[in-house]
Amino acid sequence: MASLSFSLLFRHSETTRRGASRYSSNRGQVFIVQEESRKGRKIVQIMVLVLQNPIVIFRQGNLKQTTFFRSQRESAVVRKKRLLKANLSMCSSITEKVDKAPQKVTFPIVVNGCTGKMGKAVAEAAVSAGLKLVPVSFSSSEESGRVVQVGGMDVKVHGPSGREGILASVCDEFPNVIVVDYTVPAAVNENAELYCKIGVPFVMGTTGGDRERLFKTVEDAKVYAVISPQMGKQVVAFLATMENMAKEFPGAFSGYSLEVIESHQASKLDTSGTAKAVISCFQKLGVSFEVDQIQQIRDPKMQLQMVGVPEEHLSGHAFHMYHLTSPDQTVSFEFQHNVCGRSIYAEGSIDAAIFLHKKVQSNADKRIYNMIDVLREGNMR
Ligand SMILES: NC(=O)c1ccc[n+]([C@@H]2O[C@H](COP(=O)([O-])OP(=O)(O)OC[C@H]3O[C@@H](n4cnc5c(N)ncnc54)[C@H](O)[C@@H]3O)[C@@H](O)[C@H]2O)c1
Ligand SMILES: O=C(O)C1=N[C@H](C(=O)O)CCC1
């Protein structure tokens, strides 16, 4: 019975160098180590790492189960002793993973733009991450009054009228709420002004709008916010590297010419905010290039034939190509970041919300953050 339910839950994925078999499921990982005891008896140790505590250790034979709940009050010494007692020294790499397991954080979250692709993906990721999705979302007047199903919940959609009162009530009913905004460029400033007026911390994933005005609004209101045109962890790391290069070697690409092509789903309303951020680094590196020189591709036929976007991702992709050529055309550089789908941004947005929640709880002095700050503090799950 036990082995049946085990095989239904976990699938074998590899045999580790230490001879342990690793099985995985969406609940976590199981390591099975087989040993001979001094009396020649076969001892099977099974270690279950459930990603969000507790850690459960089973020892077969007497099938005695030991459950450890990691308590925040447990000191490092006590935990070390406990792990030693559990004879886990052979699995040092595993225990390292356990030590790095994030503490479960939960708080209410409002996702505005739930009717759109990103809003829906973020709301679903929020529910999967164990956050409490507030069943209220702001959208366009055309969508007003709709109820959308996200993450197994019915979310009521509100148009532009009466938003201030609705958001104020949400904040009263759901203390510590964080808002995530994935709407449209034309709504960025008005929405940020509302969040600042109410004083609710927010993650602004929506691109475009008047970015200078956006930062000034948040600065003046002293509201906590993460603002970033790019939430994908690896793309953010690339952007951070570009920023470092520009800081370390200003003018290194003086005289080089730059070609930038970005391809997104036909429904995208603005030029890539990520491309704009990367271009600002190239400008510091000495390249003369203006944002209106970016070549935007929104035609699905070209995306299929020229860019190489997989057909199933025509409705949601972000391909970026940057090509640098030296003045005498003897040297060239190419950078690309091509993303299909929305999950990379949805996960990053949840990381940003968790990061922001911690900043608010710790009453941090700094109030405005970008995704590089989130990445730097290791808050990416
Ligand atoms: N930061 C990132 O990593 C990242 C990633 C992907 C997309 N984006 C940005 O997120 C935004 C949304 O992208 P998407 O692909 O989900 O677009 P989408 O068109 O699928 O969704 C936008 C939603 O906003 C709603 N909306 C329209 N007017 C509104 C208003 N006044 N107030 C509130 N909602 C309104 C629309 O009805 C729609 O449901 C874009 O600006 C896009 O560039 C950012
Ligand atoms: O699909 C979009 O829209 C995206 N927008 C962001 C941008 O403009 O940079 C990030 C990539 C996807």
Side-chain angles (χ1 to χ4, degrees):
M1 187 61 191
S3 71
L4 175 67
S5 51
F6 177 82
S7 60
L8 285 175
L9 274 174
F10 294 95
R11 275 205 261 130
H12 183 259
S13 38
E14 65 161 348
T15 303
T16 68
R17 275 189 297 135
R18 289 165 190 263
S21 298
R22 183 160 74 86
Y23 295 79
S24 320
S25 85
N26 58 358
R27 299 280 317 277
Q29 298 189 351
V30 179
F31 292 82
I32 298 186
V33 185
Q34 295 211 22
E35 285 180 304
E36 290 282 328
S37 74
R38 265 194 231 129
K39 288 178 188 159
R41 225 177 47 155
K42 189 160 265 179
I43 299 172
V44 181
Q45 290 195 1
I46 305 175
M47 180 181 183
V48 180
L49 299 177
V50 178
L51 287 180
Q52 319 228 12
N53 304 330
I55 307 157
V56 186
I57 296 167
F58 297 92
R59 280 182 182 205
Q60 217 185 24
N62 55 6
L63 257 186
K64 190 176 153 219
Q65 179 184 331
T66 322
T67 307
F68 295 110
F69 289 91
R70 287 206 327 157
S71 149
Q72 282 183 320
R73 274 170 290 143
E74 185 184 43
S75 74
V77 176
V78 171
R79 194 175 72 219
K80 207 167 175 184
K81 274 188 186 165
R82 167 171 64 70
L83 290 175
L84 276 173
K85 202 172 156 200
N87 193 14
L88 293 175
S89 53
M90 72 185 84
C91 303
S92 55
S93 62
I94 299 168
T95 52
E96 264 165 37
K97 277 188 189 166
V98 173
D99 285 341
K100 282 182 196 157
Q103 294 295 311
K104 194 169 173 357
V105 179
T106 189
F107 51 86
I109 187 165
V110 166
V111 182
N112 285 334
C114 249
T115 43
K117 293 181 287 298
M118 274 308 303
K120 188 166 188 285
V122 172
E124 273 161 7
V127 172
S128 300
L131 305 186
K132 178 165 181 31
L133 181 66
V134 177
V136 166
S137 180
F138 294 161
S139 186
S140 62
S141 47
E142 294 79 37
E143 311 263 21
S144 182
R146 269 183 66 191
V147 173
V148 287
Q149 270 270 320
V150 236
M153 287 187 68
D154 286 340
V155 175
K156 173 95 193 280
V157 176
H158 297 270
S161 69
R163 282 183 177 181
E164 192 176 328
I166 296 165
L167 190 56
S169 314
V170 164
C171 290
D172 284 345
E173 198 180 330
F174 300 94
N176 302 321
V177 67
I178 288 200
V179 172
V180 178
D181 191 296
Y182 275 104
T183 60
V184 285
V188 163
N189 293 101
E190 217 177 300
N191 286 358
E193 279 153 21
L194 174 62
Y195 307 148
C196 287
K197 189 166 180 188
I198 303 281
V200 61
F202 67 97
V203 174
M204 179 58 78
T206 313
T207 52
D210 180 339
R211 303 305 276 191
E212 238 174 75
R213 186 175 134 202
L214 168 64
F215 280 93
K216 182 159 183 350
T217 304
V218 186
E219 245 165 54
D220 291 350
K222 298 188 171 41
V223 160
Y224 286 95
V226 174
I227 303 173
S228 175
Q230 177 57 249
M231 298 285 176
K233 172 166 89 167
Q234 290 75 15
V235 186
V236 175
F238 166 70
L239 186 56
T241 306
M242 291 298 301
E243 282 191 4
N244 285 341
M245 179 157 66
K247 216 189 267 168
E248 283 269 321
F249 310 112
F253 285 92
S254 294
Y256 273 63
S257 60
L258 176 63
E259 186 189 20
V260 180
I261 302 174
E262 57 96 335
S263 170
H264 286 79
Q265 60 281 352
S267 59
K268 181 163 173 68
L269 296 170
D270 58 342
T271 305
S272 164
T274 311
K276 288 181 192 165
V278 173
I279 286 163
S280 80
C281 300
F282 281 126
Q283 288 166 338
K284 288 174 197 141
L285 286 160
V287 178
S288 161
F289 190 90
E290 294 308 321
V291 164
D292 60 11
Q293 292 175 265
I294 298 174
Q295 298 169 51
Q296 281 182 37
I297 301 181
R298 299 286 181 269
D299 173 15
K301 226 188 209 168
M302 279 178 82
Q303 293 173 339
L304 271 178
Q305 290 164 6
M306 202 186 100
V307 187
V309 178
E311 191 166 2
E312 65 273 27
H313 292 297
L314 286 176
S315 61
H317 70 275
F319 280 33
H320 295 76
M321 287 140 273
Y322 312 86
H323 192 136
L324 285 161
T325 312
S326 67
D328 64 1
Q329 317 230 323
T330 58
V331 184
S332 72
F333 287 80
E334 268 188 48
F335 303 90
Q336 282 196 27
H337 47 93
N338 299 338
V339 175
C340 289
R342 311 273 102 187
S343 59
I344 185 176
Y345 314 121
E347 289 301 322
S349 304
I350 299 303
D351 291 326
I354 293 172
F355 168 91
L356 201 57
H357 170 78
K358 288 179 185 163
K359 292 294 170 192
V360 176
Q361 296 309 305
S362 65
N363 211 7
D365 290 337
K366 185 172 152 79
R367 304 259 159 152
I368 308 181
Y369 301 91
N370 61 28
M371 226 27 210
I372 298 176
D373 297 317
V374 179
L375 201 63
R376 273 207 188 103
E377 287 199 16
N379 281 274
M380 296 286 188
R381 289 162 301 138

